[in-house]
Amino acid sequence: IKITEGLARTREQFARGLDSLFSSHGELDDAFWEELEELFIMADLGYEPSMELVERLKERARKEKVTEASGMRALLMAEVEEIFRAPRRIAAINPPEVVLMIGVNGVGKTTTIAKLAHRARMQGKKVMIAAADTFRAAAIEQLQVWAGRVGATFHAKAPGADPASVAYEAMDRAVKEGVDVLFVDTAGRLQTKVNLMEELTKIRQVLGKKHPGAPHRSILVIDATTGQNALSQTKLFKEAAGVDELILTKLDGTAKGGVAIAVAMQHHLPITFVGLGEKLEDLRPFNGEDYARALLG
Ligand code: GDP
């Protein structure tokens, strides 16, 4: 499915309000801005991001000398596109490329790893997946099933094993076996910030020791349906673990797709992909222009 379909429910809720505000309101007065802020809050952007977005739009309207509500749609689309223009970290990669996958249980991390591994396989790459989330036996098994399905090598140890030792062994194997991309799954239970930081720091250290420069990217997976939780999880992981990119899952069927705007605005992180379903193919590269058009166009 396309991002337009994925965002259909968010759009439905958001667009109706916007349409009537943009068409029925004349001048851009206080009442207009208040109503607009309310619509943003209702679209689950959260209170602070909604205020910030309104301030940015006021500024843009002033600069571009827009004084009528009817001119606001174009401004809003341009602003949303700009919000998604976060710089991407470009790391020089000496293969294997190592990707650290982080995020809370249930957000769709396992499925997302499978989808990314599938993409890499389709590009002809040799892929390995390491189960450094050793806490849940079922999660390890599920990852193994996905690895088999996409044709990736799988590395795991018994449940309860030291996550850093799994990462170390997998890194060793990946170098020896000439793997192109290694995805390292990490613990997803909601821990304290200190525990999370310690575990992820240790994993980073062993990866980097074995393969200088690794991990090359840390991808945080967040679930669009959780709205404001996605925002607080981003804050936690950014502080505890360092995050280079975001993948927003379950954008299909939720009315909370506006959270993408809030998270990009607050955290200045690029959203690289979105999940639009449960199947391997349901991962789309994210692009602010398509998003703005699907939501507001
Ligand atoms: P994890 O606990 O974070 O590893 O989550 P899983 O990968 O096991 O996913 C949890 C549930 O969400 C599963 O039922 C997945 O099929 C589902 N899921 C994952 N990504 C998406 C998505 O983009 N869209 C939809 N609709 N479901 C998804």
Side-chain angles (χ1 to χ4, degrees):
I1 77 170
K2 294 204 200 78
I3 187 137
T4 331
E5 296 164 49
L7 281 169
R9 283 196 56 206
T10 305
R11 183 193 166 100
E12 209 175 283
Q13 197 182 57
F14 200 36
R16 202 179 301 138
L18 287 177
D19 283 345
S20 79
L21 180 62
F22 292 163
S23 61
S24 68
H25 214 94
E27 263 186 37
L28 297 177
D29 52 14
D30 288 347
F32 172 86
W33 296 115
E34 267 166 41
E35 225 175 289
L36 188 60
E37 187 180 310
E38 235 163 76
L39 287 171
F40 291 156
I41 292 172
M42 267 155 49
D44 220 23
L45 261 67
Y47 188 64
E48 270 178 37
S50 297
M51 284 203 320
E52 188 183 333
L53 186 53
V54 165
E55 287 312 311
R56 289 192 190 199
L57 289 168
K58 279 185 186 170
E59 181 63 19
R60 195 179 270 269
R62 196 184 56 77
K63 270 195 197 144
E64 299 188 17
K65 301 192 169 49
V66 173
T67 54
E68 298 287 323
S70 57
M72 278 310 291
R73 182 181 301 279
L75 289 196
L76 179 56
M77 281 180 74
E79 189 62 42
V80 167
E81 275 178 43
E82 190 168 315
I83 284 166
F84 289 117
R85 233 168 266 146
R88 280 187 73 167
R89 180 183 163 219
I90 312 283
I93 294 163
N94 174 27
E97 176 179 9
V98 181
V99 184
L100 204 59
M101 299 296 297
I102 56 186
V104 171
N105 285 338
V107 296
K109 183 156 54 85
T110 308
T111 314
T112 302
I113 294 171
K115 289 171 175 174
L116 288 171
H118 177 65
R119 275 184 82 87
R121 290 285 303 129
M122 290 292 109
Q123 293 164 0
K125 292 181 178 163
K126 192 167 175 183
V127 177
M128 183 183 282
I129 297 173
D133 176 0
T134 59
F135 197 69
R136 294 179 303 166
I140 300 176
E141 276 165 32
Q142 184 159 26
L143 203 54
Q144 182 165 23
V145 171
W146 277 120
R149 213 174 285 169
V150 304
T153 310
F154 183 67
H155 190 85
K157 291 175 85 162
D162 175 19
S165 81
V166 177
Y168 186 83
E169 289 175 12
M171 191 69 255
D172 192 43
R173 252 186 95 183
V175 171
K176 283 186 182 139
E177 295 177 18
V179 161
D180 296 305
V181 195
L182 168 64
F183 293 99
V184 181
D185 187 22
T186 63
R189 59 195 185 283
L190 257 183
Q191 303 143 304
T192 66
K193 196 159 134 186
V194 175
N195 287 341
L196 189 67
M197 206 178 313
E198 279 174 0
E199 188 162 321
L200 288 165
T201 304
K202 224 170 126 194
I203 291 176
R204 280 175 180 282
Q205 280 169 351
V206 299
L207 290 170
K209 205 162 148 197
K210 195 80 216 161
H211 187 55
H216 304 91
R217 296 193 286 153
S218 296
I219 302 183
L220 176 67
V221 182
I222 51 176
D223 177 344
T225 64
T226 63
Q228 296 302 298
N229 279 338
L231 272 174
S232 55
Q233 285 166 18
T234 305
K235 185 167 185 290
L236 171 73
F237 279 94
K238 214 175 134 191
E239 289 166 1
V243 174
D244 300 311
E245 316 172 6
L246 298 171
I247 292 183
L248 190 62
T249 62
K250 310 186 197 178
L251 210 54
D252 52 305
T254 179
K256 298 184 178 182
V259 77
I261 300 173
V263 87
M265 195 160 64
Q266 286 213 312
H267 295 290
H268 307 286
L269 287 169
I271 297 174
T272 46
F273 290 96
V274 288
L276 293 169
E278 303 191 71
K279 294 196 298 293
L280 282 174
E281 298 76 26
D282 298 333
L283 187 76
R284 291 278 173 281
F286 181 83
N287 156 335
E289 211 175 306
D290 291 346
Y291 176 93
R293 208 171 297 143
L295 194 61
L296 306 159

